[in-house]
């Protein structure tokens, strides 16, 4: 996590040892900026409590139900409830390279 107000100094890090150095495909911030969602290139969603990220590393949220009603600032992940119809008819997802939603989730592009 980098703080733009502090000349982009790193203020926290989100680490999931079970995923090693697997690259990330996307990140999303919650509306309240307390939760971060990351998507790995393997399409695994990981959730993080970043409330105190300026003072310590992020804490992984292992129970995805805890963020089930979270409001997201936008949705750029290839997987998840807001984009569930995008991959219909193609199980590999190879035909979709990128997604994003508008702020009120009324449109997906």
């Amino acid at each position: 996590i980098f703080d733009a107000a502090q000349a982009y100094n790193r203020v926290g890090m989100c680490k999931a040892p079970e995923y090693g150095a697997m690259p990330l495909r996307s990140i999303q911030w919650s509306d309240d900026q307390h939760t971060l969602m990351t998507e790995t290139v393997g399409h695994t969603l990981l959730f993080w409590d970043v409330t105190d990220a300026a003072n310590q590393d992020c804490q992984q949220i292992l129970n995805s139900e805890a963020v089930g009603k979270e409001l997201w600032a936008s949705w750029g992940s290839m997987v998840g409830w807001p984009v569930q119809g995008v991959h219909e008819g193609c199980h590999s997802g190879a035909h979709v390279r990128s997604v994003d939603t508008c702020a009120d989730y009324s449109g997906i592009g």
Side-chain angles (χ1 to χ4, degrees):
I1 306 292
F2 296 89
D3 188 337
Q6 295 182 15
Y8 295 97
N9 287 326
R10 191 179 95 188
V11 296
M13 182 178 285
C14 302
K15 297 185 263 185
E18 65 273 19
Y19 290 95
M22 184 176 287
L24 296 179
R25 189 181 180 297
S26 68
I27 63 171
Q28 276 72 236
W29 286 97
S30 63
D31 274 350
D32 64 9
Q33 300 178 358
H34 291 186
T35 307
L36 184 70
M37 181 185 76
T38 59
E39 177 192 4
T40 69
V41 293
H43 303 295
T44 300
L45 297 180
L46 303 173
F47 300 94
W48 308 90
D49 179 350
V50 295
T51 305
D52 293 322
N55 301 317
Q56 62 186 5
D57 288 341
C58 310
Q59 299 299 310
Q60 187 175 5
I61 300 170
L62 299 174
N63 179 359
S64 60
E65 290 180 17
V67 294
K69 295 185 187 235
E70 188 72 60
L71 297 176
W72 300 96
S74 71
W75 194 275
S77 175
M78 298 275 291
V79 295
W81 287 109
V83 294
Q84 63 184 338
V86 171
H87 299 288
E88 193 169 315
C90 181
H91 298 292
S92 71
H95 69 294
V96 178
R97 299 281 184 235
S98 179
V99 297
D100 198 7
T101 62
C102 55
D104 67 359
Y105 295 101
S106 64
I108 299 173

